[in-house]
Amino acid sequence: MRIEQIYTGCLAQGAYYIESNGEAVVIDPLREVEPYINRAEKDGAKIKYVLETHFHADFVSGHIDLAEKTGAQIVFGPTAKPGFPAHVAQDGEVLKVGNATITVLHTPGHTMESTCFLLADESGKQTGIFTGDTLFIGDVGRPDLAQKVVADLTQDKLARHLFHSLRNKIMPLSDDIIVYPAHGAGSACGKNMSKETTDTLGNQKRFNYALRADMTEEEFVKEVTDGLMPPPAYFPENVMMNIKGYESIDTVLERGNAALDPDAFEAAANETDAVMLDTRDARIFARGFIPNSINIGIDGSFAPWVGAMIPDIKQKILVIADQGREEEVVTRLARVGYDYTIGYLKGGFQAWKKAGKETDHIESVTAIEMAGLLKKDPSLSVLDVRKASEHFSEHVIGSENMPLDYLNDHLAEISKDKTYLVHCAGGYRSMIFNSILRSRGYDKLIDVQGGFKAIKESGLVPVSNYVCPSTML
């Protein structure tokens, strides 16, 4: 029997491939399914099942395409109502995969259909549990997402379901079972996940706050719901795509991988309502870009920030990328349901410049230069676009905090007449912020290279004393 975790860092997401005696299972696959098909072919195995732990919110699963291309059966847990052919399993149902077995454990709480899959090897020994968003390493799934789809499912109700699911279905299992969750640190599906992506259940019983043996239901509800920030706006849209179905990834890639020369790209931008999305490194973008384009770098937390900054999942998108990375960008957009990329700039930004087209830039300064500007003009505003907890923990004295996550709700608070020195933690988020405002007519924004890290290390700008962010709930 083989178990392989296929981890995707930009989404902090773990899919799983299990093979036994020529039959295979894929759990929670990503949208692009060829790697799973190739993996099974390498083993000479047939994919028998595509198991879905729940209707995901943070990405569009590849269950439909994978089933259509392989003949595998899609399996959901009890109460699921998919809008496509699938087997809705009963609690306790056993699925055979080669010489191994997988037992369906209905564990409502993160969502009502949330289900874990308990794996037993050829000898019948229970060896691993695939917990989806029910149990993470160091945390549990947030209980507030389903309310965005079904109003009656309050976070209090779901948290109580989760309490009983953990104690009745998971905690009684053997300590040596390996926990294989759907997410790790960086995912918005939990609050405080570990950077580790697997662990023994015994360790989780000892160290995961939500699995304390002496914890009451009321204590659990309070601790699980405290400090929850609003989820990204695209989450409910992804849920509905996963429930109802979606276009094949092949169709999405074909549409998005249209190479447009500068004239055709400019015409498409002028004739449609497409967002021009520049995915190059923030520092390179600052030096020159197409006017009104926005920057979300492909080498950062790309998909989640696209979801946070582009509210309409059906928004048409035109891509500017480093040459050779265009298909990667289109694919990663599709992972979170942005299926309407209508082409990319052939030859990238250099081709645009070579064609003599208009360009723009954003002023950018080092932390040392920032200190000089503040010394010369102490009235300059410093705008910190990190999360509220980051700002609370440590910040430039006198700075304003406007988290990038909520920029679209707070634009009116920024004056076009003021000059702002804008920073985040390292420079990625501040360029997203600056580029969006630049496209909306704000031309007095100065980006601080290297963000708060560089500012603090310079020792030239006063910062507050450090406060552990865990004290802020």
Side-chain angles (χ1 to χ4, degrees):
M1 183 175 70
R2 293 184 178 88
I3 304 172
E4 184 175 336
Q5 183 184 67
I6 304 168
Y7 198 79
T8 304
C10 65
L11 289 174
Q13 189 270 345
Y16 295 91
Y17 169 85
I18 306 165
E19 186 273 334
S20 173
N21 196 31
E23 291 186 334
V25 164
V26 179
I27 302 177
D28 294 338
L30 286 185
R31 190 85 178 267
E32 61 275 23
V33 300
E34 292 304 321
Y36 311 114
I37 295 171
N38 294 340
R39 185 69 185 82
E41 288 177 350
K42 180 182 176 183
D43 287 341
K46 177 178 175 56
I47 298 176
K48 185 176 183 180
Y49 296 116
V50 182
L51 305 182
E52 289 288 307
T53 56
H54 63 294
F55 292 120
H56 303 281
D58 59 312
F59 70 99
V60 178
S61 177
H63 52 296
I64 295 175
D65 276 350
L66 188 54
E68 288 181 353
K69 291 185 177 186
T70 65
Q73 185 175 52
I74 300 170
V75 178
F76 284 94
T79 78
K81 296 178 181 179
F84 43 82
H87 175 60
V88 178
Q90 296 182 14
D91 188 27
E93 184 173 336
V94 177
L95 308 172
K96 283 193 65 65
V97 183
N99 296 326
T101 60
I102 295 175
T103 302
V104 175
L105 300 181
H106 187 210
T107 52
H110 175 64
T111 64
M112 286 307 295
E113 79 285 350
S114 284
T115 295
C116 298
F117 298 103
L118 179 61
L119 176 67
D121 64 17
E122 292 86 344
S123 69
K125 177 178 171 55
Q126 295 174 349
T127 61
I129 183 166
F130 299 85
T131 54
D133 288 18
T134 296
L135 174 62
F136 298 127
I137 307 306
D139 201 358
V140 291
R142 57 191 297 168
D144 63 326
L145 298 184
Q147 190 174 0
K148 301 293 182 180
V149 180
V150 181
D152 186 52
L153 291 175
T154 66
Q155 66 179 31
D156 182 83
K157 286 182 181 179
L158 285 164
R160 294 179 189 279
H161 278 296
L162 184 57
F163 175 82
H164 293 288
S165 291
L166 292 166
R167 276 145 186 82
N168 297 334
K169 295 294 185 67
I170 295 178
M171 290 176 68
L173 298 173
S174 174
D175 285 358
D176 63 356
I177 286 176
I178 304 297
V179 176
Y180 297 100
H183 293 291
S187 169
C189 293
K191 291 189 297 184
N192 190 34
M193 287 176 254
S194 168
K195 67 179 188 301
E196 304 300 326
T197 59
T198 63
D199 194 11
T200 64
L201 182 56
N203 269 341
Q204 286 306 293
K205 290 176 187 177
R206 285 190 289 273
F207 301 118
N208 189 321
Y209 76 96
L211 301 188
R212 294 200 310 271
D214 62 348
M215 192 179 220
T216 67
E217 183 173 335
E218 296 303 323
E219 288 171 338
F220 178 88
V221 171
K222 183 178 186 300
E223 291 190 40
V224 165
T225 57
D226 263 348
L228 282 177
M229 300 297 290
Y234 73 96
F235 272 26
E237 301 287 348
N238 277 199
V239 171
M240 296 313 297
M241 290 178 72
N242 283 319
I243 291 174
K244 294 180 178 180
Y246 45 77
E247 277 190 306
S248 168
I249 188 66
D250 298 333
T251 302
V252 174
L253 292 177
E254 182 178 357
R255 179 169 56 232
N257 283 321
L260 306 174
D261 66 29
D263 288 337
F265 188 92
E266 185 174 38
N270 289 334
E271 293 168 9
T272 71
D273 61 351
V275 167
M276 291 183 289
L277 180 60
D278 192 321
T279 62
R280 296 175 298 153
D281 179 88
R283 292 163 297 181
I284 295 171
F285 174 87
R287 295 197 292 265
F289 54 88
I290 298 173
N292 298 321
S293 61
I294 66 171
N295 174 243
I296 305 178
I298 191 67
D299 288 324
S301 297
F302 175 69
W305 281 118
V306 168
M309 294 295 102
I310 303 178
D312 182 3
I313 206 165
K314 295 183 178 179
Q315 171 68 54
K316 292 184 178 70
I317 295 173
L318 287 164
V319 168
I320 303 111
D322 293 318
Q323 290 189 62
R325 302 190 71 179
E326 298 89 357
E327 183 169 338
E328 177 189 356
V329 171
V330 178
T331 300
R332 287 173 63 175
L333 286 168
R335 283 178 183 168
V336 289
Y338 288 79
D339 285 2
Y340 294 94
T341 303
I342 59 174
Y344 67 85
L345 178 58
K346 185 179 180 181
F349 181 68
Q350 292 305 314
W352 182 268
K353 280 179 62 179
K354 190 175 181 181
K357 305 283 187 184
E358 183 183 356
T359 65
D360 198 357
H361 74 281
I362 287 174
E363 186 177 353
S364 181
V365 298
T366 65
I368 294 172
E369 289 169 333
M370 170 189 177
L373 290 172
L374 287 171
K375 186 175 181 180
K376 183 178 179 181
D377 184 359
S379 68
L380 285 176
S381 296
V382 177
L383 199 56
D384 182 345
V385 301
R386 296 176 299 161
K387 293 180 179 179
S389 59
E390 294 174 274
H391 179 82
F392 173 85
S393 177
E394 202 171 15
H395 57 264
V396 172
I397 299 295
S399 62
E400 301 174 53
N401 182 221
M402 184 173 291
L404 174 61
D405 313 55
Y406 310 114
L407 169 61
N408 289 321
D409 299 327
H410 297 284
L411 272 176
E413 299 170 25
I414 306 171
S415 171
K416 288 185 177 181
D417 298 324
K418 289 176 63 176
T419 298
Y420 295 91
L421 289 158
V422 184
H423 78 83
C424 59
Y428 182 84
R429 286 175 284 177
S430 63
M431 194 56 69
I432 298 174
F433 184 98
N434 286 332
S435 67
I436 291 173
L437 265 67
R438 185 79 169 189
S439 72
R440 299 180 186 183
Y442 293 79
D443 58 6
K444 293 187 176 182
L445 304 174
I446 302 172
D447 191 73
V448 181
Q449 299 168 22
F452 185 76
K453 181 176 185 293
I455 293 168
K456 183 179 178 181
E457 288 176 351
S458 76
L460 299 174
V461 179
V463 300
S464 66
N465 293 325
Y466 178 79
V467 177
C468 179
S470 64
T471 62
M472 181 186 181
L473 296 173

